[in-house]
Amino acid sequence: MRLIMSDGHARRDSEPLIAHIAAHLGRFGIEVERVRVRRQPRLPYEEYAALIANAEFPFELRSRLDCFGKTLTNMPSRPETLEWLSEAGLPVMRWSLARDHLELDHLFDVWQTDLILIKRSDTYGGTSVTLFTRERAKEIQWNPSRDLFCPEVNPDDGDIYKLEMFGRNVLLGWLSRAPSARTLMNDGRLNGIFGAYGRRELFDWPEAVLLPARRFGDVAREQGFGHISLDLMRNPHGDFEVIEVNLGNVAVWWTTQFRSFRRRYARAVHQLLIERHGASPNVAGVSIRLRYKLSGLTRQPKLLVREVQGAWSRWRNTRDLENRYAAPTPTKRR
C-alpha cells in the first residue's frame, strides 16, 4: 500500500513529522511518499491508496484518489462549518448573517454590544477578521451568504484555546495567550486579529469538550478533511465557545516539536488506512520492517539538520509574534 503526504509547509517543520509518520507506517508495510506541493508523485495518482495534504491541493484530485485536507476551491463557508460544529454538540459562539447594512445595524441592538466582528469565508490567518463600531459599520462590505458577523466572546479576554485533531483522534491541545481585540483597536476599527500569538502553552481539554469534538472529527474526516484545528475562547462565565474550525493548512511549526503530537498523528493516519483501505493492523514481517528501517536511517543526517532549523525557527517566530501582536496599545475609540 502506498500513501502520498502532500507537503506545502517549510521543510524544517514538516519533514521531521512526515519522517515519523513514514517510520510508523513502514512497520506495517505501508510506503509513504512525500511530495511537495505543485510536484507530481513518482506513479499515477491511482496507484496510491490516499493523499493527505498539509496545504491546499487541487479539488480535482478528489476524483482520482481518497484525499484528506483543504482544497484550493469548493470549500464550505464559515456558516456551514459552524452548523456542523453545532450539530455535533459543541458550544458555538453567537453569530448571524446579514443581508444589508440595515440588518447589520440591528445586530448591535440584538447583541447589546458596541463592537461587532465580521469573519469572511475562504480566508484564514486572521487577516479577514475585522472588529468595528456601529459608526464604522457603513464601511464594511461582505458576501451576505458566506460571511458572518458575531459579537466578541469575551471583551476582556483574547486568549485562544486550540484543539488539533485528525478524525476523532486528538493530536494536541494548547493555549495562546493574547490581549482582547478591543485593546488593539484604533479609531473604531481593527483590521486583522491574529489569535495565535507566540506565548503558547500546552492545554489539557476536559472530556465535556472532547466528546462532541470527536463527533465533529468523524464528520470532518468523512467530508475529506484530515488535520484540523478547533479554535475556542472562554466567555465571561468561564465556559468555552467555538469561534471557528480550520479545516486544513494547519501550521505545524510549533506543534511538531512534541513527540506525542507526531505519534498521535502517525497513529491517526494508520487508523484511517485501516478503516477505509483495509490496511493491516498487524506489524509486518522482519524483512519488510528492516527494509523501511534502513531507508529511514539514510535520511537521519538531513532530519537532524531540519530539527536544528526547526528549533531556531520556533524561537525566532515566538519572539516575532510576541513583539508584533501581543503587546496591547492604548485604546482610541471614535
Side-chain angles (χ1 to χ4, degrees):
M1 180 177 291
R2 300 184 183 91
L3 171 73
I4 296 176
M5 295 295 299
S6 179
D7 183 14
H9 288 345
R11 290 177 170 87
R12 62 177 178 264
D13 304 325
S14 57
E15 278 195 38
L17 173 61
I18 294 175
H20 185 94
I21 295 170
H24 178 79
L25 295 183
R27 297 178 61 244
F28 301 90
I30 301 170
E31 178 184 341
V32 174
E33 182 178 344
R34 175 176 165 270
V35 179
R36 294 292 288 176
V37 168
R38 293 185 293 276
R39 299 290 181 85
Q40 297 295 312
R42 291 184 295 104
L43 302 172
Y45 283 106
E46 290 78 8
E47 297 293 323
Y48 299 85
L51 177 147
I52 295 174
N54 60 26
E56 290 89 346
F57 64 92
F59 178 78
E60 294 73 23
L61 283 181
R62 290 199 186 277
S63 65
R64 303 186 65 180
L65 76 168
D66 211 10
C67 295
F68 298 87
K70 186 176 182 179
T71 55
L72 290 167
T73 57
N74 297 77
M75 287 294 293
S77 67
R78 287 184 185 270
E80 287 178 277
T81 57
L82 286 179
E83 291 288 357
W84 294 353
L85 291 161
S86 181
E87 290 170 1
L90 283 158
V92 176
M93 67 176 186
R94 294 176 293 169
W95 64 275
S96 176
L97 299 175
R99 288 177 295 184
D100 50 37
H101 283 90
L102 183 63
E103 288 194 356
L104 173 56
D105 184 75
H106 182 58
L107 290 176
F108 283 92
D109 299 322
V110 171
W111 290 325
Q112 297 183 340
T113 183
D114 58 338
L115 296 174
I116 282 181
L117 289 141
I118 179 173
K119 295 188 175 185
R120 296 181 173 86
S121 296
D122 309 312
T123 56
Y124 59 91
T127 56
S128 66
V129 180
T130 300
L131 180 67
F132 56 91
T133 61
R134 190 193 292 259
E135 291 73 23
R136 302 295 296 271
K138 60 182 177 296
E139 305 168 6
I140 302 298
Q141 301 296 320
W142 71 95
N143 183 325
S145 64
R146 295 184 64 83
D147 302 335
L148 63 85
F149 297 94
C150 60
E152 298 166 281
V153 171
N154 192 332
D156 301 316
D157 185 1
D159 291 351
I160 303 293
Y161 296 79
K162 296 271 189 174
L163 175 55
E164 299 197 17
M165 306 182 70
F166 193 111
R168 62 173 34 249
N169 301 89
V170 174
L171 303 181
L172 201 70
W174 56 280
L175 161 64
S176 172
R177 299 287 183 186
S180 66
R182 63 174 54 212
T183 64
L184 304 174
M185 176 174 261
N186 184 28
D187 198 24
R189 179 166 173 165
L190 175 62
N191 296 316
I193 299 176
F194 299 87
Y197 296 96
R199 297 163 56 190
R200 304 175 179 209
E201 57 194 72
L202 296 179
F203 181 78
D204 292 324
W205 283 98
E207 192 61 31
V209 173
L210 291 179
L211 185 61
R214 291 190 181 102
R215 287 197 293 267
F216 177 78
D218 285 337
V219 171
R221 203 188 75 168
E222 289 307 305
Q223 294 287 341
F225 301 105
H227 180 194
I228 64 173
S229 171
L230 297 173
D231 291 3
L232 298 91
M233 297 182 72
R234 287 187 185 272
N235 62 29
H237 303 291
D239 300 320
F240 286 110
E241 294 184 16
V242 182
I243 61 173
E244 67 177 5
V245 58
N246 300 297
L247 290 173
N249 203 13
V250 182
V252 297
W253 67 266
W254 189 75
T255 54
T256 194
Q257 67 180 301
F258 300 106
R259 290 186 180 275
S260 59
F261 175 81
R262 300 185 194 187
R263 183 176 64 252
R264 292 166 184 165
Y265 202 125
R267 289 177 177 174
V269 172
H270 188 207
Q271 180 180 327
L272 168 71
L273 295 176
I274 291 172
E275 294 177 4
R276 293 179 67 105
H277 296 281
S280 174
N282 302 316
V283 174
V286 174
S287 61
I288 294 176
R289 298 203 311 271
L290 181 60
R291 174 161 58 89
Y292 284 106
K293 182 73 171 179
L294 291 175
S295 176
L297 288 175
T298 63
R299 295 191 292 269
Q300 285 304 309
K302 184 171 70 172
L303 288 175
L304 180 59
V305 172
R306 298 297 188 218
E307 293 278 10
V308 173
Q309 292 173 333
W312 166 253
S313 177
R314 281 191 295 275
W315 178 83
R316 184 186 60 196
N317 284 349
T318 298
R319 292 283 300 270
D320 179 57
L321 288 169
E322 285 184 342
N323 291 337
R324 277 199 290 165
Y325 303 128
T329 57
T331 302
K332 186 188 297 183
R333 298 286 299 283
R334 184 175 175 176

